[in-house]
Amino acid sequence: MTTFRVPGVPVIADGELISTNPATGDEAGRLPVATADDVARAVERARTAGNWWIGLGDAGRRERLLRFRAVLANRITELAELVNAEGGKPVAEAIVEIVSAIEHLDWATRNARRVLGARQLRSRLILAEFAAHLEYQPYGVVGVIGPWNYPVLTPLGSIGYALAAGNAVVFKPSEYTPVAGQWYVDAFAEVVPEQPVLQAVHGLGDVGAALCRSGVDKVAFTGSTATARKVMAACAETLTPVLLESGGKDAMIVDADADLDAAAEAAVWGGMTNAGQTCIGIERIYAVAPVYDAFVAKVVERAGRLTVGAAGDADLGPITMPAQIDIIRRHIDDALARGGRAVLGGPDAVQPPYVRPTILVDVPEDSAAVREETFGPTLTIKKVRDAQEALTLANALPYGLGGSVFGQRQAIPIARRLRSGMAAINSVITFVGMSTLPFGGVGDSGFGRIHGDDGLREFARAKAITRRRGPSMLPAMTFDRTPAQVARIVKLVKTLYGRN
Ligand code: NDP
């Protein structure tokens, strides 16, 4: 019998990856660990499957992806309970996550043809004798590497869009949530039994590294910034294009004309949902002086009411990755040692495998709790003079994923000036559920986009074609042009472009 040293820490025994619940240590499932050769073989199979998938055409893929979506919708409770059993996430939170994944799958499927299909573009006078065609062709095989914190929404945000764009996918789920990943790979195989268009390979980081080097045509990575650098370095060896969705340290700005009750409610959910283990979770808040005291009081009151525990209906579950607890503890201790105050929680809130809500104020801006990803149910709240100071501080970190602004008159200009890929006004995190909008970061938060039109194009190559539709009146791209024709070209260019 296998003994689990630390609940939640995956164990490899007899060639199997054993996944356990971080609160109870109960086994959630076990899966075979892939070798580098297994990964290579999966990619080879995916290549054949990808050709078959392309051969189905838009209509064939659409019909199957919509059936896959229906399986997810009809079995949503089963999957949510599995996510709870494996990672400890409360069931209601898992349901919200899966709903968003289903919505994206639906949207990507219904919009793939519009966004990627062949079209003719307008020709310009300078090459009027040619027609311009554009289409977006699938890469072939896409490798998807996913994190554990949103084991359904985050990988499917890449997988669904890659499949809708006509690619086959080889997916490496996080070692902390392989069972949830395998569940929907199996569900997909139920509706597409003919070919392994979507496969999973399991194991630790070395399996992800093998996938980067396996000859896939693109890698879509979601995880920490540190691993993103390794993935990009590995992909550089073969010039394999990468999409990097990495960490964040999102800020909320609360302006003087904000609805404080709404802002406090959103701050608490944005900071504490999934026990704070959210890449686009709120970790730092900048509230302007006139509303600061009232806002802090409302946040503390609301956060203090949250329930914590293993029960599937608690507001906050356990910290999924046990090693993260040391980071959360270090951030709280460091903040307090450097003059910060805990107005809720504090060092005693760290009770492995749980961390209770913690609100920190007066924390210096150069401390770890403000600069590094905490990934726990903690918030720092800082009093600022005005929205301009809030923006300066919010934009001071290398991360730039999402963000939030609460206010009325200046909210839109503030949101536009946040150095981030996304922003929510008078809400938090909502941009991730809006399938029409692209999702991705700037700076240390990565580059490339999932979701929306850009998310579909991320998984396809632009293919440009010119087609002659008549003789050239002024031949330019040929050695057959005469000096007189060159003189006429010069005259034409001055007529067309020479005036303002
Ligand atoms: P990690 O970077 O630790 O792991 C991410 C994935 O990469 C895992 O599947 C991991 O495998 C794999 N991996 C590890 N080493 C390598 C390697 N050398 N080459 C290739 N793959 C490798 O991140 P976490 O799983 O801890 O996820 C949390 C992080 O993800 C946070 O920073 C969070 O902000 C970020 N995130 C970003 C999102 C976004 O959209 N921008 C969304 C969700 C999370 P294994 O688990 O087996 O080690």
Side-chain angles (χ1 to χ4, degrees):
M1 206 180 114
T2 312
T3 51
F4 303 115
R5 284 171 298 273
V6 184
V9 173
V11 173
I12 290 187
D14 302 328
E16 287 184 313
L17 175 65
I18 305 165
S19 181
T20 58
N21 179 288
T24 61
D26 291 346
E27 181 176 325
R30 51 182 72 202
L31 292 150
V33 173
T35 62
D37 282 347
D38 294 333
V39 174
R41 276 192 291 274
V43 172
E44 226 176 275
R45 283 195 298 275
R47 211 157 279 294
T48 310
N51 288 333
W52 176 83
W53 187 237
I54 290 172
L56 281 184
D58 285 316
R61 286 193 297 274
R62 179 187 158 109
E63 186 267 324
R64 280 149 200 269
L65 285 168
L66 292 179
R67 269 202 283 142
F68 177 42
R69 176 214 59 185
V71 171
L72 292 177
N74 290 319
R75 293 171 66 188
I76 185 168
T77 313
E78 179 189 333
L79 180 55
E81 281 166 2
L82 182 60
V83 169
N84 168 255
E86 184 170 45
K89 179 179 294 189
V91 173
E93 298 263 62
I95 292 217
V96 172
E97 172 186 351
I98 302 165
V99 167
S100 210
I102 292 169
E103 156 62 18
H104 278 292
L105 191 58
D106 184 73
W107 189 88
T109 302
R110 293 180 187 282
N111 287 275
R113 189 166 167 193
R114 172 185 63 80
V115 177
L116 305 175
R119 81 236 24 212
Q120 189 164 333
L121 303 182
R122 193 172 290 167
S123 302
R124 299 276 290 168
L125 190 59
I126 202 84
L127 282 171
E129 70 275 32
F130 293 93
H133 292 265
L134 172 64
E135 65 188 61
Y136 292 86
Q137 300 179 345
Y139 276 95
V141 181
V142 172
V144 173
I145 302 176
W148 48 266
N149 59 339
Y150 286 82
V152 180
L153 172 62
T154 300
L156 274 178
S158 292
I159 292 169
Y161 283 74
L163 291 172
N167 301 279
V169 172
V170 179
F171 167 39
K172 154 69 178 73
S174 165
E175 70 201 53
Y176 289 89
T177 51
V179 179
Q182 186 64 50
W183 187 96
Y184 51 82
V185 170
D186 292 343
F188 183 81
E190 281 175 26
V191 296
V192 185
E194 297 93 333
Q195 287 281 342
V197 176
L198 171 62
Q199 301 170 77
V201 288
H202 297 285
L204 307 183
D206 59 308
V207 177
L211 187 56
C212 295
R213 296 191 167 92
S214 64
V216 290
D217 303 295
K218 178 149 190 168
V219 169
F221 168 84
T222 310
S224 64
T225 304
T227 310
R229 292 185 211 283
K230 291 184 198 163
V231 165
M232 194 168 170
C235 288
E237 292 167 15
T238 47
L239 281 191
T240 303
V242 286
L243 157 70
L244 300 178
E245 296 284 355
S246 33
K249 188 74 184 172
D250 287 359
M252 174 194 273
I253 294 176
V254 183
D255 206 356
D257 53 359
D259 172 338
L260 293 189
D261 286 308
E265 185 275 323
V268 171
W269 189 72
M272 315 279 164
T273 180
N274 197 24
Q277 304 163 105
T278 304
C279 56
I280 44 172
I282 300 297
E283 299 214 351
R284 309 174 280 153
I285 301 180
Y286 299 101
V288 298
V291 300
Y292 174 84
D293 289 334
F295 173 71
V296 172
K298 286 176 191 290
V299 170
V300 169
E301 192 271 320
R302 280 179 172 277
R305 278 194 259 141
L306 298 178
T307 56
V308 182
D313 61 353
D315 295 316
L316 273 64
I319 299 301
T320 303
M321 194 168 66
Q324 193 69 28
I325 290 178
D326 293 335
I327 296 173
I328 300 169
R329 185 187 286 116
R330 174 168 64 80
H331 285 193
I332 295 174
D333 290 348
D334 174 67
L336 299 184
R338 303 184 61 197
R341 286 185 298 125
V343 288
L344 181 72
D348 294 345
V350 183
Q351 299 164 7
Y354 304 102
V355 178
R356 307 189 76 81
T358 291
I359 311 292
L360 302 165
V361 297
D362 301 335
V363 181
E365 283 298 292
D366 60 352
S367 60
V370 176
R371 296 195 64 84
E372 297 170 21
E373 200 176 36
T374 307
F375 241 48
T378 66
L379 283 169
T380 61
I381 310 181
K382 182 174 171 61
K383 188 193 290 185
V384 288
R385 241 184 357 264
D386 51 23
Q388 181 52 52
E389 186 185 5
L391 261 173
T392 305
L393 295 174
N395 289 347
L397 298 191
Y399 287 122
L401 198 49
S404 162
V405 182
F406 271 79
Q408 301 302 329
R409 216 171 44 82
Q410 288 299 314
I412 293 177
I414 294 169
R416 294 172 81 183
R417 288 170 60 206
L418 265 179
R419 182 179 166 275
S420 67
M422 293 89 53
I425 294 174
N426 295 330
S427 71
V428 284
I429 303 184
T430 38
F431 41 74
V432 73
M434 188 76 80
S435 16
T436 46
L437 282 177
F439 181 98
V442 303
D444 278 7
S445 295
F447 53 79
R449 293 293 181 266
I450 55 172
H451 303 173
D453 289 9
D454 297 87
L456 279 165
R457 285 195 202 102
E458 192 74 41
F459 293 103
R461 296 185 176 105
K463 180 65 181 271
I465 301 174
T466 48
R467 181 178 54 81
R468 183 180 287 283
R469 54 185 178 188
S472 296
M473 305 310 286
L474 269 183
M477 293 186 181
T478 167
F479 287 123
D480 290 347
R481 64 190 164 227
T482 63
Q485 285 168 333
V486 172
R488 274 166 50 210
I489 289 170
V490 169
K491 199 167 160 195
L492 177 67
V493 89
K494 286 183 179 170
T495 311
L496 284 180
Y497 307 122
R499 282 188 288 266
N500 289 331

